[in-house]
Amino acid sequence: MATKSDPNSKLIAENRRARFDYHIESDLEAGIMLLGSEVKSLRQGGSNIAESYASVEGGELWLINGYIAPYREAKTWGHEERRRRKLLVSRKELSRLWNATAREGMTIVPIRMYFNDRGIVKIKLGIAKGKKLADKRETSAKRDWDREKARLLKMSKRD
């Protein structure tokens, strides 16, 4: 019998550009503090994390420049679309992130925002180092070669 997918777990937003612009060395899952109108807006699918990043400031982790569309039914008690949102991680993770950004010159980029199996909004963060133009070309060439290789293998299996 086929297993049904969980109706609560759902991808909200994905930052596909992050894997192209950054070399992601490790990732972690973080909770995010949201208002009720923000959660309702996310259930409708209005979000963008492509231009956002995370920063450790004052002993806390913040998501900066993440967009959540306004929830029309909230009108007067709605939320700001691009406000700073607090991310929830353990103290140990926070100190590791602070070391990575302050000492090693890494960047914290959001990769995916989703509802987990319990229906709670989570964000997957990547600890990354920026790629140079040559690295981006190399990644693009490798992806093209992999595509070509898969096509050639598929053609040889048909014969």
Side-chain angles (χ1 to χ4, degrees), residues 84-96:
R84 296 162 45 107
R85 293 169 177 91
K86 188 174 180 181
L87 298 175
L88 307 171
V89 293
S90 68
R91 290 215 183 271
K92 186 177 178 182
E93 288 287 345
L94 187 63
S95 67
R96 189 172 69 94

Side-chain angles (χ1 to χ4, degrees), residues 6-156:
D6 191 357
N8 288 331
S9 61
K10 172 185 157 190
L11 181 67
I12 300 168
E14 188 171 18
N15 187 357
R16 297 177 66 195
R17 187 85 187 162
R19 297 213 184 268
F20 182 74
D21 288 338
Y22 298 96
H23 173 68
I24 297 172
E25 296 193 1
S26 65
D27 59 355
L28 69 128
E29 182 182 72
I32 183 167
M33 287 181 67
L34 297 171
L35 299 173
S37 61
E38 291 173 326
V39 176
K40 289 182 179 187
S41 177
L42 289 175
R43 292 217 182 270
Q44 291 178 344
S47 175
N48 184 6
I49 57 171
E51 299 110 26
S52 61
Y53 62 96
S55 176
V56 179
E57 296 173 6
E60 296 176 335
L61 185 62
W62 296 91
L63 178 69
I64 300 169
N65 204 27
Y67 175 79
I68 296 178
Y71 185 61
R72 200 171 354 141
E73 285 77 10
K75 292 189 179 63
T76 52
W77 291 283
H79 61 273
E80 286 182 46
E81 295 150 12
R82 290 202 180 269
R83 74 177 181 90
R84 296 162 45 107
R85 293 169 177 91
K86 188 174 180 181
L87 298 175
L88 307 171
V89 293
S90 68
R91 290 215 183 271
K92 186 177 178 182
E93 288 287 345
L94 187 63
S95 67
R96 189 172 69 94
L97 291 171
W98 183 84
N99 282 334
T101 55
R103 293 184 182 165
E104 300 168 24
M106 306 290 260
T107 306
I108 307 169
V109 291
I111 300 170
R112 298 174 59 219
M113 184 186 288
Y114 56 94
F115 287 104
N116 69 359
D117 57 344
R118 291 174 40 211
I120 298 171
V121 179
K122 297 287 184 178
I123 190 161
K124 186 175 185 180
L125 300 171
I127 302 168
K129 193 174 230 25
K131 286 185 182 177
K132 305 268 190 281
L133 184 61
D135 296 334
K136 291 179 187 178
R137 284 192 200 121
E138 184 181 309
T139 302
S140 181
K142 183 180 183 312
R143 187 175 350 128
D144 290 345
W145 169 242
D146 288 343
R147 228 181 261 143
E148 182 71 21
K149 193 167 47 173
R151 188 183 65 78
L152 289 171
L153 285 171
K154 188 176 179 183
M155 294 294 279
S156 67

